[in-house]
Amino acid sequence: MVGVRTALLVAAAAGLAALVVGSVTGSWVATWAVLLGGLLAVVALRRVHPDGATIRVAPDGARVLELEIARARRSGRPLTVIHVRPDPADGIRPEDISGACREVDVVWADDGVWVAAGDTNVDGRAGLVGRLTRTFPTLAAADRVVALTFPDDEMTMHGLVERFAALRPRDAATRDAVQGDALAGQPQ
């Protein structure tokens, strides 16, 4: 994924190229075509997620969770926390999980992969978990994704941590692995 600075440079280069083409050809259609092509290139570059993607990681996952919950409490907005337990044989890395999330979501590794998705309520949680399990089908097949939302499921960080500890992945894969107990935050 390219940074904002690179995207702006590509957009500026497209604008300059459009001006040159427009000046040389005298055609507004050609000018707009070159400009549109450059802007589409920016969009395409922003959506590409290379193997070495940048994720927001802190050395202390508990501190990240504490800060995100404090931010959610202060703003009065929900926070969804997702615990992904990938099988090491699957080769799913935190960078891969981050690529399936929004840029503002915080991802860290600690006994699996954790995602803190700010401003994501219970309905948004279902969409995010669905996106993760569609992107990584082995997670859905083995019921390896557990999600809880602050403040709907728990009102404190310690409550969320205790609730996650009580939630264990099921031994057998079932169709409701994503829509069932783990998603609803119910002990299994």
Side-chain angles (χ1 to χ4, degrees), residues 113-163:
V113 179
W114 294 81
V115 179
D119 205 21
T120 304
N121 61 16
V122 175
D123 295 330
R125 169 178 80 185
L128 181 54
V129 169
R131 185 175 339 123
L132 287 172
T133 55
R134 281 190 309 276
T135 305
F136 309 103
T138 57
L139 295 178
D143 192 24
R144 294 192 178 128
V145 179
V146 179
L148 296 172
T149 301
F150 167 87
D152 296 332
D153 295 318
E154 289 293 334
M155 294 295 291
T156 65
M157 180 184 101
H158 299 291
L160 278 175
V161 170
E162 289 173 5
R163 192 93 171 261

Side-chain angles (χ1 to χ4, degrees), residues 19-34:
L19 284 174
V20 169
V21 167
S23 298
V24 171
T25 63
S27 169
W28 285 103
V29 173
T31 303
W32 282 109
V34 171

